[in-house]
Amino acid sequence: MNPDLRNRLAGLLFSAVGVALGWWGIWLPLQAARAQMPEVRYHLEIFALVPLTLVFGLFLFIAGDKLPYRDAARQTLTPIGWVLFAIIAICAAGSFFWLKSTFAELGYQNG
């Protein structure tokens, strides 16, 4: 299989996993909180996994194998990889604090 096509398909798969994780780990707990369920839980790991899968999935789908995000020989990230990592970190922190404040507004102190 063509490496570019393989990367684009992997990007679609990663994106689908990210959407599924976001639905299960963020959307469902938020809807339960809005419905005033007595107990609502979410997992902290979800705030790293959803941005990771979505950002890398979209990157791989759009770029294929044309833009390297890592230097395999030196086992380091390229500047593009660092930008992706920064986007993931910002999205992870932003979504966590947004959900935490939304839960607090709805009367839930701990998730």
Side-chain angles (χ1 to χ4, degrees):
M1 179 183 284
N2 179 349
D4 188 55
L5 178 60
R6 186 179 66 230
N7 280 352
R8 290 178 191 272
L9 290 175
L12 280 177
L13 178 63
F14 282 12
S15 296
V17 168
V19 169
L21 286 172
W23 177 77
W24 173 79
I26 297 172
W27 180 255
L28 289 180
L30 181 59
Q31 293 308 309
R34 287 183 175 152
Q36 295 297 307
M37 300 298 288
E39 184 175 321
V40 178
R41 292 183 185 258
Y42 58 87
H43 300 278
L44 290 178
E45 299 86 7
I46 209 73
F47 297 101
L49 291 174
V50 170
L52 177 73
T53 55
L54 287 176
V55 169
F56 267 106
L58 290 173
F59 173 76
L60 288 173
F61 178 71
I62 293 168
D65 66 349
K66 292 174 182 45
L67 298 173
Y69 65 91
R70 66 184 174 97
D71 183 348
R74 293 178 33 200
Q75 295 185 350
T76 59
L77 293 174
T78 65
I80 292 171
W82 283 109
V83 168
L84 292 173
F85 179 73
I87 292 169
I88 291 166
I90 291 167
C91 290
S95 62
F96 172 74
F97 289 116
W98 170 78
L99 190 68
K100 192 167 178 71
S101 69
T102 302
F103 273 24
E105 290 173 7
L106 294 170
Y108 295 89
Q109 296 308 312
N110 296 318

Coordinates of all heavy atoms in Angstrom, one line a residue, residues 2 5 27 32 62 70 90 94 102 105-106:
N2 N 0.5 2.2 -0.7 CA 1.2 3.5 -0.8 C 1.3 4.1 0.6 O 0.3 4.2 1.3 CB 0.4 4.4 -1.7 CG 0.9 5.8 -1.9 OD1 1.9 6.2 -1.2 ND2 0.4 6.5 -2.8
L5 N -1.2 7.0 1.3 CA -2.5 6.5 1.5 C -2.7 5.9 2.9 O -3.7 6.1 3.6 CB -2.9 5.5 0.4 CG -4.3 4.9 0.5 CD1 -5.4 6.0 0.5 CD2 -4.5 3.9 -0.6
W27 N -18.7 14.2 26.2 CA -20.1 14.5 25.9 C -21.1 13.8 26.8 O -22.0 14.5 27.3 CB -20.4 14.2 24.4 CG -21.8 14.5 24.0 CD1 -22.8 13.6 23.8 CD2 -22.3 15.8 23.8 NE1 -23.9 14.3 23.5 CE2 -23.7 15.6 23.4 CE3 -21.8 17.1 23.8 CZ2 -24.5 16.7 23.1 CZ3 -22.7 18.1 23.5 CH2 -24.0 17.9 23.2
A32 N -25.0 14.1 31.2 CA -25.5 13.6 32.5 C -25.5 14.7 33.5 O -26.4 14.8 34.3 CB -24.6 12.4 33.0
I62 N -4.6 15.2 6.5 CA -4.4 16.3 5.6 C -3.0 16.2 4.9 O -2.8 16.4 3.7 CB -4.5 17.6 6.4 CG1 -6.0 17.8 6.8 CG2 -4.0 18.8 5.5 CD1 -6.2 18.9 7.8
R70 N 8.4 13.9 12.9 CA 9.5 13.3 13.7 C 10.7 13.0 12.9 O 10.6 12.7 11.7 CB 9.0 12.1 14.5 CG 8.7 10.9 13.6 CD 8.2 9.7 14.3 NE 7.7 8.7 13.4 CZ 8.5 7.6 13.1 NH1 9.7 7.5 13.6 NH2 8.0 6.8 12.2
I90 N -2.4 22.6 24.5 CA -3.4 23.7 24.7 C -4.8 23.2 24.6 O -5.7 23.6 25.5 CB -3.2 24.8 23.6 CG1 -1.8 25.5 23.8 CG2 -4.3 25.8 23.5 CD1 -1.4 26.4 22.7
G94 N -7.3 23.4 27.8 CA -8.5 24.2 27.6 C -9.7 23.4 27.8 O -10.7 23.8 28.4
T102 N -17.6 24.2 33.7 CA -19.0 23.9 33.3 C -19.7 23.0 34.4 O -20.8 23.2 34.8 CB -19.1 23.2 31.9 OG1 -18.5 24.1 31.0 CG2 -20.5 22.9 31.6
E105 N -20.5 25.1 37.4 CA -21.7 25.9 37.2 C -23.0 25.1 37.3 O -24.0 25.6 37.7 CB -21.7 26.5 35.7 CG -20.7 27.6 35.5 CD -20.6 28.1 34.1 OE1 -21.4 27.6 33.3 OE2 -19.7 28.9 33.8
L106 N -22.9 23.8 37.0 CA -24.0 22.9 37.1 C -24.2 22.4 38.5 O -25.1 21.6 38.8 CB -23.9 21.8 36.1 CG -24.0 22.3 34.6 CD1 -23.7 21.1 33.7 CD2 -25.4 22.8 34.3

